[in-house]
Amino acid sequence: MGNRGITLRSEDFSAWYNDVIMRAELADYAPVRGCMVIRPRGYRIWELMQAALDGMLKETGHENAYFPLLIPQSFLAKEAEHIAGFAPQTAVVTHAGGKELEEPLVIRPTSETIIYSMFSKWIQSYRDLPLLINQWANIVRWEMRTRLFLRTTEFLWQEGHTAHATESDAEAEALLILRLYRKFMEEWMAMPVVTGLKTESEKFAGALRTYSCEGMMQDNKALQAGTSHNLGQNFSRAFDVQYQTEEGSRDYTWNTSWGASTRLIGGLIMTHSDDNGLVCPPRLAPVQVVVVPIWRKDEEKSAVLEAGQRVEADLKKAGLRTALDDRESMKPGAKYFEWEGRGVPVRLELGPRDLAENKVVVARRTGGKAPSPMTDIGATVTGVLEELQQQLFEDALERREEHSHRNLDRSGFIELMEGQGGFVYGGFCGGARCESEIKEKTKATIRVLPDSEFRSPEPQDKCMWCGNKAVSEAVWAKAY
Amino acid sequence: MGNRGITLRSEDFSAWYNDVIMRAELADYAPVRGCMVIRPRGYRIWELMQAALDGMLKETGHENAYFPLLIPQSFLAKEAEHIAGFAPQTAVVTHAGGKELEEPLVIRPTSETIIYSMFSKWIQSYRDLPLLINQWANIVRWEMRTRLFLRTTEFLWQEGHTAHATESDAEAEALLILRLYRKFMEEWMAMPVVTGLKTESEKFAGALRTYSCEGMMQDNKALQAGTSHNLGQNFSRAFDVQYQTEEGSRDYTWNTSWGASTRLIGGLIMTHSDDNGLVCPPRLAPVQVVVVPIWRKDEEKSAVLEAGQRVEADLKKAGLRTALDDRESMKPGAKYFEWEGRGVPVRLELGPRDLAENKVVVARRTGGKAPSPMTDIGATVTGVLEELQQQLFEDALERREEHSHRNLDRSGFIELMEGQGGFVYGGFCGGARCESEIKEKTKATIRVLPDSEFRSPEPQDKCMWCGNKAVSEAVWAKAY
């Protein structure tokens, strides 16, 4: 346990993670197995994430809609791989309105089936394509082992579902979204990710191909942060989504689906936070800057408070999300402690001496403080926040590269995975057997076959595990 | 059937309502009993409603959070009236993860129970009060007869849940929200509402008092559009939500809850739309103004299209939500028809002659068109939209007053309810027997005991039904 009442990362990463969440009041355990309550400070982060991501999706022509929570059990069975993948995780409604239902209803574990059943009604002609739909919704998957944000029985997400005339249109959409997710994760969450293709054993149940964004957490484990699937014609065939082509023939549509969830909040926490609690990237911080007026004597109070209000007004005018902590029942040190735990990026301290010099002390959540003129404080803090945002990204990137390993042999790989872990770039023969052997021996899985820009300058030409000819490079890691 | 392919209101109001929704592509029937799909054009209205209402709630100090979808059945039973009211409508999860659950879980029909169970954990002291929480969520109530938006098995809503130190604080909150709802309905939806208190038989299951906003639809029936409940200490006692007072004693909190749902979209439709389809108040219209360039000859096309793009850019610059309909496969008349059905408040027609005169034709969805200079078109259309918003409200208000009746006797009341219906203001003895007799005979119910500003200048001093002394005035109507 650190001196802040938070378990140290170095002692127990998992306990640290929970402590950070509790200290920042981001979430709480619900009285239902595996479910969480997202508290206002956590939900506000989600709202800011939603606003950013939703804006990016709208800009690229996607429209939001809403489909039913409950799906007839028979729908799930229409796509063979899909039902095999999801059936064991479903929650089933058998009774409603005081009666037993004729057909049980499943709470959506994902919405492909219900959405493509509607698409078959809406899509007639090539003129109706592409159809670009997104939905913000809650999802239920009965998970055995749950962790706040990372894996909960119920979670919130967006799920995109699109229909296209050609395979290449669908592929382009899947890749567009992959890039969009990456941009969001890097620019908003300050979380660098490696993108690439999932192997057959790790792809979405029912997809042709799955692309993924993988972040590295501070314990060197990977977090799958968002996935984008080219579904081919699997679902359009299962749900008879056909359209008349420009030439008058009929064809099945090509589909994609893609999602990112409240799991991202877990990723944000594990990428940036420290032993003092949450560190929140400025662009997603519910409160970006807190003003703490300080006084000892009553005669100082009104002047300091008034200046604090003036400063807060200036910050608001600059478009910043602010708080003024004028609680009288609490000492400044206790306030600092609390706001640090909540991850507020910048704190402004303002005492009688600062006021006399027309200055405030600008303290950064990640360390360091210095006085700054009160004039133009909005612009000053805006600049500091931009710097912090950039710094968080660079620090995370540096940490990831430090823990990315290349040219390991089999025993080096095993040793690393038994020790500090990390991302391992190595040759892969493409064999499912190597994948499963590696998973069994080391708990590491192939996170992605990396996209070109992430590939090593000189990738191994032999499988890191079996020594046969490599068909591609792979990135291995233990994962959440 | 009208000449637009939409049933006439005067012929069959209910068929007209469905036709308007289908024509505007607001929603569709889902393959699950009583459920709907909210299509992009409908969902965008909901998003605009959410943004407005959410802003008003945040301004008044409320914070959003998220609580689990699934509630242990035993929770519902902790408040006696609550379980009696909601048990018959619940959908029940009995199996999950391939096993039968030890305790069945109910899909939330409302979230008081799960939320107050968390409040009991979070609230310790008077310093934690008031606690002002709101949640945007989906709700399931197993309804027997469903109608798109108005009554669906699943619907979307916001539900507020607050905890206060005193009864008067809770009462003030319940009334604050009632006023806030009214403001939203009047200023955004252009839907006038009568506010007041529900009678015992119509109040929320578990509440001390329920306040309601009641709109009048074009068939003169009432729509309960939003309710706000003073829950007293019913739930805090059931879930042991206690706090330490400033004086050091312990007391149960006083609570409120309040909600407004996607039903509001039904109210919007039935308040304003006409036999040509949807009429959407400008402030909630997904597209506020559509530009339709018109050309016959190829040599006209590029000039007209270019001018259309310029006009659209000007409209966007004025902050308006716009569309440019440059489809070549469709004639202008067909486009007008389509955009009218979608409820777009203003259409700009732009042909070669208009262009030569540097003008566009401004056509209003509710009738009338006139040329207007292309210069300052953003400001012109902004002004027209404001006028339209105001006009829709005034028209609805006038219609409501036209169909509000006072000083009817028993037989006059029965006759009215058998005929055209409307709101009837009359004396009420306070007796549950009169209420149930009236409901049985006329299908009318007491919508509210109206707030002072809605009360008649000279209310009847005797019960409109039994003739005994009236304890208050009541507003009767048939309702959705």
Side-chain angles (χ1 to χ4, degrees):
Chain A
M1 186 69 73
N3 57 9
R4 299 301 187 108
I6 292 176
T7 306
L8 297 174
R9 278 167 293 184
S10 56
E11 262 174 25
D12 181 342
F13 193 80
S14 165
W16 164 80
Y17 175 73
N18 284 331
D19 287 350
V20 169
I21 290 173
M22 292 299 156
R23 169 64 58 84
E25 297 184 342
L26 301 180
D28 204 346
Y29 296 98
V32 182
R33 191 188 147 287
C35 287
M36 69 174 163
V37 173
I38 308 180
R39 300 186 69 172
R41 292 179 201 285
Y43 197 81
R44 188 76 189 113
I45 296 177
W46 181 239
E47 286 184 318
L48 292 165
M49 285 182 166
Q50 283 188 296
L53 199 48
D54 196 69
M56 292 166 84
L57 291 171
K58 286 198 170 112
E59 263 170 38
T60 46
H62 300 84
E63 295 184 300
N64 289 333
Y66 187 76
F67 296 83
L69 172 76
L70 299 172
I71 302 178
Q73 213 166 31
S74 58
F75 276 41
L76 240 60
K78 287 196 182 184
E79 213 289 332
E81 284 185 24
H82 195 66
I83 181 81
F86 285 105
Q89 290 190 307
T90 53
V92 188
V93 175
T94 56
H95 292 70
K99 286 182 188 161
E100 186 167 357
L101 296 174
E102 283 180 27
E103 183 184 358
L105 299 168
V106 158
I107 300 182
R108 61 181 163 222
T110 179
S111 300
E112 277 76 7
T113 59
I114 189 95
I115 288 182
Y116 294 118
S117 83
M118 297 308 298
F119 277 15
S120 76
K121 214 172 146 182
W122 298 341
I123 295 171
Q124 310 295 334
S125 135
Y126 68 93
R127 286 195 197 88
D128 302 322
L129 299 175
L131 182 57
L132 309 173
I133 297 288
N134 180 58
Q135 158 169 286
W136 292 94
N138 53 342
I139 288 293
V140 170
R141 295 180 187 170
W142 218 255
E143 301 281 0
M144 289 310 293
R145 279 188 299 175
T146 57
R147 300 194 56 189
L148 293 171
F149 292 116
L150 298 173
R151 195 177 294 276
T152 46
T153 300
E154 183 189 6
F155 57 90
L156 305 182
W157 79 352
Q158 61 67 219
E159 51 180 321
H161 297 272
T162 69
H164 306 265
T166 67
E167 181 170 13
S168 66
D169 285 355
E171 183 68 10
E173 168 78 10
L175 291 173
L176 170 84
I177 295 296
L178 185 73
R179 282 192 298 271
L180 186 150
Y181 280 165
R182 180 185 169 190
K183 188 178 161 73
F184 168 73
M185 291 166 193
E186 296 191 343
E187 294 182 6
W188 289 83
M189 296 175 62
M191 179 175 83
V193 290
V194 174
T195 63
L197 193 64
K198 287 285 183 187
T199 61
E200 281 300 300
S201 69
E202 298 278 337
K203 74 173 189 188
F204 177 75
L208 211 57
R209 278 187 284 283
T210 289
Y211 298 96
S212 178
C213 299
E214 304 275 331
M216 184 194 280
M217 304 296 101
Q218 288 184 68
D219 60 353
N220 301 336
K221 282 167 79 173
L223 184 80
Q224 180 177 305
T227 50
S228 180
H229 318 293
N230 182 335
L231 302 175
Q233 295 180 315
N234 291 343
F235 286 91
S236 65
R237 286 178 190 276
F239 288 91
D240 197 31
V241 188
Q242 290 195 57
Y243 74 100
Q244 189 165 42
T245 66
E246 215 163 339
E247 296 75 35
S249 64
R250 291 185 69 74
D251 196 4
Y252 291 100
T253 62
W254 296 83
N255 300 104
T256 81
S257 70
W258 25 275
S261 74
T262 36
R263 162 172 258 217
L264 289 175
I265 299 175
L268 180 152
I269 296 166
M270 291 195 296
T271 300
H272 303 298
S273 302
D274 63 19
D275 292 334
N276 296 335
L278 182 67
V279 172
C280 195
R283 295 184 79 178
L284 294 173
V287 174
Q288 297 173 306
V289 47
V290 59
V291 182
V292 183
I294 305 162
W295 68 91
R296 289 217 184 123
K297 302 168 201 157
D298 264 5
E299 60 267 33
E300 297 165 346
K301 181 177 151 186
S302 70
V304 163
L305 267 185
E306 198 217 331
Q309 286 158 358
R310 221 167 45 231
V311 166
E312 200 204 7
D314 285 354
L315 297 168
K316 273 195 204 303
K317 215 179 287 170
L320 301 176
R321 295 185 289 273
T322 66
L324 174 70
D325 191 347
D326 56 4
R327 286 175 290 181
E328 308 219 358
S329 55
M330 222 171 169
K331 295 207 167 146
K335 291 181 181 179
Y336 301 169
F337 179 82
E338 198 175 275
W339 289 105
E340 271 172 26
R342 292 173 181 168
V344 176
V346 169
R347 178 180 73 232
L348 301 186
E349 305 169 4
L350 175 57
R353 204 178 305 168
D354 304 307
L355 185 55
E357 294 172 10
N358 202 35
K359 289 190 172 172
V360 289
V361 174
V362 179
R364 299 173 183 220
R365 170 63 182 82
T366 44
K369 61 182 185 178
S372 181
M374 226 181 270
T375 323
D376 284 333
I377 190 68
T380 305
V381 173
T382 301
V384 170
L385 291 171
E386 278 163 16
E387 249 176 61
L388 283 174
Q389 180 82 27
Q390 190 56 30
Q391 194 58 51
L392 287 177
F393 177 75
E394 280 164 22
D395 290 351
L397 189 62
E398 195 181 309
R399 184 173 46 74
R400 184 187 75 186
E401 290 313 301
E402 211 173 284
H403 294 280
S404 291
H405 306 270
R406 288 172 179 81
N407 298 315
L408 291 181
D409 60 10
R410 184 169 168 149
S411 66
F413 178 77
I414 293 173
E415 201 181 319
L416 185 80
M417 288 302 161
E418 281 171 352
Q420 59 177 6
F423 283 7
V424 173
Y425 290 72
F428 174 50
C429 64
R433 191 168 154 188
C434 277
E435 258 188 293
S436 67
E437 268 187 33
I438 290 171
K439 191 171 176 178
E440 201 179 312
K441 277 250 165 64
T442 69
K443 292 186 182 143
T445 50
I446 294 180
R447 304 318 304 157
V448 284
L449 308 178
D451 286 336
S452 58
E453 74 172 287
F454 293 101
R455 267 172 231 150
S456 303
E458 292 176 39
Q460 292 176 327
D461 56 2
K462 288 191 178 143
C463 179
M464 178 271 294
W465 195 255
C466 70
N468 288 335
K469 192 176 176 326
V471 296
S472 67
E473 190 174 37
V475 179
W476 276 274
K478 287 192 255 188
Y480 280 94
Chain B
M1 186 71 73
N3 57 7
R4 299 301 188 107
I6 291 175
T7 306
L8 297 174
R9 279 167 292 184
S10 55
E11 261 174 25
D12 182 342
F13 193 80
S14 165
W16 164 82
Y17 175 75
N18 283 332
D19 287 350
V20 169
I21 290 172
M22 293 299 156
R23 171 63 57 83
E25 298 183 342
L26 301 180
D28 204 346
Y29 296 99
V32 183
R33 191 189 148 286
C35 287
M36 68 174 164
V37 174
I38 308 179
R39 300 186 68 173
R41 291 179 202 285
Y43 197 80
R44 188 76 189 111
I45 296 177
W46 181 239
E47 287 184 319
L48 293 165
M49 284 181 167
Q50 283 188 297
L53 199 49
D54 196 69
M56 291 166 83
L57 291 172
K58 286 195 169 116
E59 264 171 36
T60 45
H62 301 85
E63 293 184 301
N64 289 332
Y66 187 77
F67 296 83
L69 173 74
L70 300 172
I71 302 177
Q73 215 166 31
S74 58
F75 276 42
L76 241 60
K78 287 197 183 181
E79 212 289 331
E81 285 184 24
H82 195 65
I83 181 80
F86 285 106
Q89 292 191 305
T90 54
V92 189
V93 175
T94 57
H95 293 70
K99 287 185 187 158
E100 186 168 355
L101 296 174
E102 282 180 28
E103 182 183 1
L105 298 169
V106 159
I107 300 182
R108 60 182 162 221
T110 180
S111 300
E112 275 77 6
T113 59
I114 189 95
I115 290 181
Y116 294 117
S117 83
M118 297 307 299
F119 278 15
S120 76
K121 215 171 144 181
W122 298 341
I123 294 171
Q124 308 296 334
S125 133
Y126 68 94
R127 286 195 197 86
D128 301 322
L129 299 176
L131 183 56
L132 308 174
I133 298 289
N134 180 57
Q135 159 169 283
W136 292 95
N138 54 343
I139 288 293
V140 170
R141 294 179 188 171
W142 217 254
E143 300 282 358
M144 290 309 294
R145 280 190 298 174
T146 56
R147 302 194 55 189
L148 293 169
F149 291 117
L150 297 174
R151 194 177 293 277
T152 47
T153 301
E154 182 188 7
F155 58 89
L156 305 181
W157 79 350
Q158 61 66 218
E159 52 180 321
H161 297 272
T162 68
H164 306 266
T166 67
E167 180 170 14
S168 66
D169 285 356
E171 182 69 9
E173 168 78 9
L175 291 173
L176 170 84
I177 295 297
L178 185 74
R179 283 191 298 270
L180 186 150
Y181 280 165
R182 180 184 170 192
K183 188 178 162 73
F184 169 74
M185 291 166 194
E186 296 192 342
E187 294 183 6
W188 289 82
M189 298 175 61
M191 179 175 82
V193 291
V194 174
T195 62
L197 194 64
K198 288 283 184 189
T199 60
E200 281 299 299
S201 68
E202 299 278 336
K203 73 172 192 191
F204 177 76
L208 211 58
R209 278 187 285 283
T210 289
Y211 298 95
S212 178
C213 298
E214 304 276 329
M216 184 193 282
M217 305 297 102
Q218 288 184 66
D219 60 353
N220 300 335
K221 282 166 78 172
L223 184 81
Q224 179 177 305
T227 49
S228 179
H229 318 293
N230 182 335
L231 302 175
Q233 295 180 317
N234 291 343
F235 286 91
S236 64
R237 287 178 190 276
F239 288 91
D240 197 30
V241 188
Q242 291 195 57
Y243 74 100
Q244 187 165 45
T245 66
E246 215 164 338
E247 294 75 34
S249 63
R250 290 185 70 74
D251 196 4
Y252 291 101
T253 61
W254 296 83
N255 299 105
T256 81
S257 70
W258 25 275
S261 76
T262 36
R263 160 171 260 216
L264 289 175
I265 299 176
L268 180 152
I269 296 166
M270 293 196 293
T271 300
H272 303 299
S273 302
D274 63 20
D275 292 334
N276 296 335
L278 182 67
V279 172
C280 195
R283 295 184 80 177
L284 294 173
V287 175
Q288 297 174 305
V289 47
V290 58
V291 182
V292 183
I294 304 162
W295 68 91
R296 291 217 183 123
K297 302 168 202 156
D298 264 7
E299 59 266 32
E300 297 166 347
K301 182 177 149 184
S302 71
V304 164
L305 267 184
E306 200 217 331
Q309 287 159 357
R310 222 167 42 233
V311 166
E312 201 204 7
D314 285 353
L315 296 168
K316 273 196 204 301
K317 215 178 285 168
L320 300 176
R321 296 185 289 273
T322 67
L324 174 70
D325 190 347
D326 56 5
R327 286 175 291 179
E328 308 218 357
S329 55
M330 222 170 169
K331 296 207 167 145
K335 291 181 181 178
Y336 301 169
F337 178 81
E338 198 174 276
W339 290 106
E340 270 172 27
R342 291 173 182 169
V344 176
V346 169
R347 177 180 75 231
L348 300 186
E349 305 169 4
L350 176 57
R353 204 178 305 168
D354 304 308
L355 186 55
E357 294 173 10
N358 204 33
K359 289 191 168 167
V360 289
V361 174
V362 180
R364 298 174 184 219
R365 170 64 183 80
T366 44
K369 62 182 184 179
S372 180
M374 226 181 271
T375 325
D376 284 336
I377 191 66
T380 304
V381 172
T382 301
V384 170
L385 291 171
E386 278 165 15
E387 251 176 58
L388 283 173
Q389 180 82 28
Q390 190 56 32
Q391 194 59 51
L392 286 177
F393 177 74
E394 279 164 21
D395 290 351
L397 190 61
E398 195 181 309
R399 183 172 48 71
R400 185 186 75 187
E401 289 312 301
E402 212 174 283
H403 293 281
S404 291
H405 305 271
R406 287 173 179 80
N407 297 316
L408 291 180
D409 61 10
R410 184 168 169 152
S411 65
F413 177 76
I414 292 174
E415 200 181 320
L416 185 81
M417 288 302 160
E418 281 170 353
Q420 61 176 5
F423 282 8
V424 173
Y425 290 72
F428 174 50
C429 65
R433 191 167 153 187
C434 278
E435 259 187 294
S436 67
E437 268 185 33
I438 290 171
K439 190 171 178 181
E440 202 180 310
K441 277 251 164 63
T442 69
K443 292 186 182 141
T445 49
I446 294 179
R447 305 317 305 157
V448 283
L449 308 178
D451 285 338
S452 58
E453 72 172 289
F454 293 100
R455 266 173 232 151
S456 303
E458 291 177 37
Q460 293 176 325
D461 56 1
K462 287 188 177 146
C463 179
M464 180 269 295
W465 195 255
C466 69
N468 288 336
K469 191 176 177 325
V471 296
S472 67
E473 191 173 35
V475 179
W476 277 274
K478 286 192 255 189
Y480 280 93

